[in-house]
Amino acid sequence: MHWRAILRLFGILLMFYSLNFVPSIIVSLYYQDGELNVFLLSMLSVIAIGLVLWVLNRNQRQELSVRDGFLVVTLFWILLGLVGALPFLFGLHLDLTDAVFESISGFTTTGATVITGLDQLPQSILYHRQQIQWLGGMGIIVLAVAIMPLLGVGGMQLYRAETSGVAKDEKLTPRIAETARSLWIIYLILTSLCGIAYYFAGMTAFDAVGHAFTTVATGGFSTHDDSLGFYNSPLIELIAIIFMLAGGVNFAVHFIVFRKKLLSPYAKDPEVRTYGLVFLFASLFVAASLYLSHAYGSVLESLRYGAFQVASVLTSTGFGTATFATWPLHIPLIMVILSFTGGCAGSTAGGVKVMRVMLLAKLGLRQLFHLAHPRAVVVVKQGERAVSEEVLYSVWGFYVLYIVTSLFLTVAMMAAGLDLESAFGAVVATINLLGPGLGEVAVNFVSVNDVVKWLGVFGMLAGRLEIFTLLILFIPAYWRH
């Protein structure tokens, strides 16, 4: 393990990240909200830590291996959680647990919160919360990969670890730095369009920017305690649905659409097509269930609230216009299933991902077919492409680890004092990067104890890093040379 080279890289990344306090400083100066010193102190602290790490290890320029990459990605997300927590520590005077929970929830685009009274918070603190979700959405590491070649640090290992899963080896452009830049350009375009649409739909400029950040990032942080329900606007909710769903689409498909200037790649991609159908059928089913159980008075109202919450949960955004945990009968469980399904691979959404769910379903059907025809050779396909057995084993392994991790966290949270519904709800909220859960955590994590919050932090990191990248560090073989 190239420890000193890793520390040097962390020093560079931290100095680079310190620039992200500048917009919050500008917001604080503009609104005169009294938090200027908080962000100046945070920025100087991060620069100082980064500078020390870089100066002490500036001559350590070894090429990082793939093995190093897993450690760098995991440790840097933890490090980001700590430095992103500084304004919450200095400005809101939260304790370390709450500040780190809020920060990790932001960077992992989970949206679970321990802060209430958002409507009364200083604007610069609110802006900071929204911005960390936006940065976390595409992955701060991917941003860094676009810059790393300029600093003489290879980025491929980081990119592979950051985007572990089915789509990790699919490059959009020949060079990894170009790929990262292409992704960020698309991300910026979608965010800008979303912000403009929100503004013209009636939001203030501040709220439009803040909510655009967390909509495209499928994060779910809001500047209001009532989330998007604060506006009670069907138009704002429709805009949110469109851009939440866009955030849940594989950005490689967005790239092809932008390059070809055609919408047809969305319809041709089997994962995006399935994702769209899941949203459509789930929305209709939930709306019908809400109407028939008399939760809402009309079909249109049931469709409005049902479609919004389905989009919010499926994309793991977590915006709320209603608390789905309090909906009658089977509807909360449908929402839980949708949150485990998640968005597309290569998107900002959480969950198992639609592509993996499709492959798992095809594996199950192949097994049934084999029982009827033991000698048949059946190839699993994704669209027109045959899927290798190696990828299928990887998907199956991912699914098993995802479920085992979820069960482990549920047991641990029950041992820490939560009832079954709240413990399971907290796991759904964190590992699926959803935000709102069930029971005690249906709205926020304010009332739970510190042990539950730290378990939640682990769940959020596991979900954001797609299980493998985090859990590989717990395998003894990983640390053996």
Side-chain angles (χ1 to χ4, degrees):
M1 200 67 70
H2 303 105
W3 284 107
R4 293 196 65 184
I6 290 170
L7 289 174
R8 174 182 173 272
L9 176 59
F10 280 173
I12 294 168
L13 290 170
L14 282 176
M15 287 189 286
F16 178 63
Y17 174 74
S18 69
L19 297 173
N20 291 295
F21 289 114
V22 172
S24 298
I25 290 169
I26 293 168
V27 170
S28 184
L29 282 168
Y30 180 79
Y31 286 100
Q32 294 292 302
D33 63 3
E35 301 297 317
L36 179 62
N37 289 340
V38 166
F39 287 100
L40 287 173
L41 180 59
S42 300
M43 185 177 182
L44 290 172
S45 301
V46 174
I47 290 172
I49 296 166
L51 198 59
V52 168
L53 289 176
W54 179 74
V55 168
L56 293 177
N57 303 286
R58 63 186 180 278
N59 295 322
Q60 303 296 319
R61 292 175 175 269
Q62 299 100 319
E63 180 68 24
L64 297 179
S65 64
V66 173
R67 202 159 139 269
D68 293 328
F70 288 113
L71 184 67
V72 168
V73 169
T74 303
L75 289 183
F76 191 63
W77 276 96
I78 294 168
L79 198 57
L80 273 179
L82 294 172
V83 299
L86 294 177
F88 302 133
L89 285 167
F90 300 152
L92 299 183
H93 307 294
L94 298 182
D95 62 32
L96 181 66
T97 299
D98 283 353
V100 171
F101 183 94
E102 192 76 14
S103 181
I104 291 284
S105 178
F107 279 113
T108 57
T109 72
T110 304
T113 186
V114 292
I115 299 174
T116 54
L118 294 173
D119 300 78
Q120 286 78 47
L121 284 190
Q123 284 88 342
S124 54
I125 297 282
L126 286 174
Y127 177 84
H128 174 70
R129 283 177 84 243
Q130 305 301 102
Q131 182 183 265
I132 60 177
Q133 284 210 319
W134 187 71
L135 292 171
M138 182 54 69
I140 197 84
I141 303 294
V142 178
L143 174 62
V145 165
I147 307 301
M148 285 299 110
L150 306 176
L151 306 173
V153 180
M156 188 58 193
Q157 293 81 10
L158 299 186
Y159 181 78
R160 283 174 62 89
E162 173 73 6
T163 57
S164 60
V166 179
K168 69 181 177 185
D169 293 318
E170 291 183 9
K171 294 184 185 179
L172 313 184
T173 56
R175 293 181 63 81
I176 198 69
E178 289 174 32
T179 299
R181 276 194 287 271
S182 299
L183 293 175
W184 269 95
I185 289 166
I186 293 165
Y187 196 52
L188 278 167
I189 290 169
L190 286 175
T191 306
S192 303
L193 291 173
C194 183
I196 291 165
Y198 275 149
Y199 179 74
F200 284 108
M203 283 191 186
T204 63
F206 180 80
D207 278 2
V209 171
H211 285 95
F213 279 171
T214 56
T215 304
V216 176
T218 64
F221 272 166
S222 176
T223 53
H224 303 286
D225 283 323
D226 292 334
S227 189
L228 288 188
F230 172 85
Y231 299 98
N232 192 25
S233 164
L235 179 58
I236 284 174
E237 290 160 27
L238 179 61
I239 292 164
I241 288 171
I242 291 166
F243 284 97
M244 285 190 290
L245 291 174
V249 168
N250 187 334
F251 271 68
V253 181
H254 284 318
F255 176 83
I256 294 163
V257 167
F258 273 81
R259 192 175 60 186
K260 291 186 174 179
K261 296 180 175 60
L262 293 170
L263 292 176
S264 56
Y266 290 132
K268 288 179 181 175
D269 185 86
E271 185 186 24
V272 176
R273 204 164 54 233
T274 305
Y275 166 70
L277 289 171
V278 168
F279 165 71
L280 188 64
F281 285 117
S283 297
L284 292 172
F285 181 75
V286 169
S289 301
L290 287 170
Y291 179 68
L292 293 172
S293 61
H294 307 293
Y296 296 102
S298 70
V299 172
L300 206 58
E301 199 178 9
S302 300
L303 189 60
R304 173 188 167 185
Y305 287 100
F308 183 87
Q309 288 306 139
V310 165
S312 181
V313 170
L314 180 64
T315 61
S316 79
T317 307
F319 278 142
T321 54
T323 304
F324 72 80
T326 61
W327 279 348
L329 306 172
H330 54 280
I331 307 174
L333 182 58
I334 295 295
M335 292 299 188
V336 167
I337 293 167
L338 289 173
S339 84
F340 273 101
T341 304
C344 300
S347 74
T348 60
V352 173
K353 302 292 192 302
V354 172
M355 182 182 285
R356 291 196 186 98
V357 172
M358 289 168 69
L359 290 175
L360 286 167
K362 288 175 181 178
L363 266 173
L365 290 171
R366 184 175 77 169
Q367 204 60 29
L368 285 174
F369 188 80
H370 269 171
L371 289 173
H373 305 279
R375 296 184 180 180
V377 176
V378 183
V379 177
V380 173
K381 288 187 175 182
Q382 192 74 329
E384 297 300 313
R385 292 192 309 180
V387 180
S388 70
E389 291 297 316
E390 184 187 356
V391 168
L392 292 175
Y393 280 125
S394 172
V395 169
W396 182 241
F398 174 89
Y399 176 70
V400 169
L401 286 174
Y402 202 93
I403 297 302
V404 168
T405 304
S406 299
L407 291 173
F408 164 76
L409 285 171
T410 303
V411 171
M413 286 185 180
M414 288 179 72
L418 292 185
D419 61 85
L420 174 58
E421 183 188 10
S422 298
F424 181 60
V427 172
V428 169
T430 52
I431 199 166
N432 294 336
L433 313 180
L434 176 58
L438 303 169
E440 198 177 333
V441 295
V443 178
N444 57 49
F445 279 69
V446 172
S447 61
V448 300
N449 61 49
D450 284 2
V451 175
V452 171
K453 287 170 186 169
W454 284 111
L455 287 168
V457 165
F458 179 85
M460 289 187 278
L461 288 169
R464 179 75 273 176
L465 297 173
E466 304 232 311
I467 303 292
F468 286 135
T469 306
L470 180 64
L471 294 192
I472 194 174
L473 303 183
F474 293 89
I475 304 296
Y478 173 82
W479 299 98
R480 293 192 202 114
H481 288 288

